[in-house]
Amino acid sequence: MTQPIPVRHIHIFGDESSNDTKQDFLVYGTVYCEARHLEAVKKALAFPDVSHEFHWKKSRSHMWAHKEFIKAVFECIRKNQLSFRCFFVNTKHTNHKKYNQNDPDLGLEKYIFYHLLNYAMDYRKTGLGRFWVLLDAGREDRFPPKKKQYMLNQRYKKETETDLEPFLDLDVEHSHKSRLVQAADMLAGAVAWVKNERYLDPKKGKDKEELATLIAAKAHLPVNHPRAIAAKVERNSYLSFHYPAMSFADNKGFSIKEFYLNSTENREKKATSTA
């Protein structure tokens, strides 16, 4: 008898950090959980007594609450109820004129598209994923979420040569209305703060360094990238966020990926890289 294919229902929440031309690195992050854990995660991150939005850029206000929110996020990760993925893009290597009609927002949308598509392709390795996606609002007039959902499903069917449509819903919501989008913002913000070397700024502020230190200690990423080893980066240091740390196991719920769209772009990146 043929064994049924296991189906997992996944909710994904996403937000970007450092999406401007003044930063060297763009970071986009998503937190995700299985549907059976969603209500427990929402309850753990509700913080009903905190009226403000948890936002990396605004962490100086209500610092204690921001730290408690981070601890709650990682408690969900520790319980295997929640995970985090992010990717970073070196903006010095992007060629929006050539690839994106000279439109940085279109470039960002392409990166998000492939980030989401990778979820469906990854879950296909162990069964089948069904996805509900909620992203931070802001570009939906130009890039309608339902069109993105349709394109994701069409691309998945083309890649897998099946009629399956794994993305059941894709929508947007302003981050102040979703603690899970805020969780994605906080974690992606920490990675972007490190990737853009904001810790070298004498005016960086203790709030960002304290939060980045807390997040790094909770993430506890293995230091196994050759450049990290050469630089003698210590485990639990926020400097570990400089390097890719990825696997489908998500390094116990926290993964970082370097992203590029195609082999041509990859070759150009390597040719111009000074890293």
Side-chain angles (χ1 to χ4, degrees):
M1 179 181 292
T2 303
Q3 294 293 321
I5 299 174
V7 178
R8 298 169 70 186
H9 297 268
I10 311 297
H11 290 261
I12 302 171
F13 304 82
D15 198 4
E16 71 262 16
S17 185
S18 299
N19 182 31
D20 62 61
T21 57
K22 297 179 182 179
Q23 303 296 328
D24 288 338
F25 288 92
L26 159 72
V27 177
Y28 192 89
T30 47
V31 295
Y32 60 102
C33 67
E34 293 195 36
R36 61 194 176 100
H37 295 312
L38 182 60
E39 290 308 313
V41 171
K42 283 185 174 181
K43 182 177 180 180
L45 302 185
F47 283 72
D49 295 332
V50 177
S51 59
H52 70 275
E53 175 181 356
F54 292 107
H55 195 296
W56 176 260
K57 290 183 179 179
K58 301 176 182 177
S59 57
R60 185 169 298 176
S61 302
H62 311 285
M63 186 63 179
W64 176 85
H66 276 73
K67 287 183 176 180
E68 292 304 306
F69 183 68
I70 290 298
K71 292 175 184 177
V73 169
F74 276 97
E75 181 63 13
C76 292
I77 292 175
R78 186 189 68 80
K79 292 179 178 178
N80 294 318
Q81 296 176 331
L82 187 69
S83 294
F84 171 74
R85 292 184 182 187
C86 73
F87 66 82
F88 64 86
V89 177
N90 190 332
T91 60
K92 292 182 294 185
H93 300 148
T94 56
N95 190 335
H96 293 302
K97 184 177 181 180
K98 182 174 181 179
Y99 292 111
N100 305 315
Q101 302 172 33
N102 207 28
D103 184 352
D105 283 343
L106 177 59
L108 174 58
E109 288 295 317
K110 287 183 177 180
Y111 284 114
I112 295 171
F113 177 92
Y114 282 101
H115 182 67
L116 294 175
L117 183 64
N118 282 340
Y119 272 98
M121 301 306 292
D122 283 342
Y123 273 88
R124 188 169 182 263
K125 299 172 184 176
T126 56
L128 188 63
R130 290 286 190 262
F131 303 97
W132 286 262
V133 182
L134 186 67
L135 307 179
D136 188 25
R139 294 179 300 275
E140 58 275 12
D141 289 344
R142 296 184 59 212
F143 306 102
K146 296 307 176 186
K147 182 178 180 180
K148 188 184 301 180
Q149 178 186 341
Y150 172 79
M151 293 172 64
L152 281 163
N153 282 326
Q154 293 302 110
R155 183 59 178 267
Y156 180 86
K157 289 192 288 187
K158 179 180 179 180
E159 294 286 340
T160 61
E161 298 182 343
T162 69
D163 292 327
L164 297 173
E165 296 189 349
F167 292 91
L168 301 182
D169 189 45
L170 196 156
D171 209 343
V172 298
E173 187 168 74
H174 289 287
S175 58
H176 70 270
K177 296 182 178 180
S178 172
R179 292 296 195 206
L180 280 151
V181 172
Q182 293 169 37
D185 172 89
M186 290 291 290
L187 300 184
V191 175
W193 184 81
V194 174
K195 289 298 301 178
N196 289 301
E197 297 186 334
R198 301 300 296 274
Y199 53 86
L200 298 177
D201 185 345
K203 299 180 181 179
K204 62 181 179 295
K206 289 184 62 177
D207 57 319
K208 299 294 191 297
E209 187 155 26
E210 287 179 13
L211 281 175
T213 299
L214 175 62
I215 291 169
K218 294 290 185 180
H220 195 58
L221 293 180
V223 180
N224 51 19
H225 193 281
R227 293 204 307 272
I229 295 171
K232 298 182 180 181
V233 174
E234 296 182 0
R235 192 160 190 167
N236 296 342
S237 167
Y238 59 67
L239 295 179
S240 63
F241 294 162
H242 268 302
Y243 311 97
M246 57 172 291
S247 69
F248 190 53
D250 291 309
N251 292 293
K252 297 184 178 180
F254 195 107
S255 68
I256 303 172
K257 179 179 180 180
E258 185 172 13
F259 213 101
Y260 39 83
L261 285 175
N262 54 45
S263 58
T264 300
E265 188 174 350
N266 185 28
R267 287 195 298 271
E268 291 179 358
K269 181 185 80 67
K270 287 182 178 179
T272 58
S273 177
T274 57

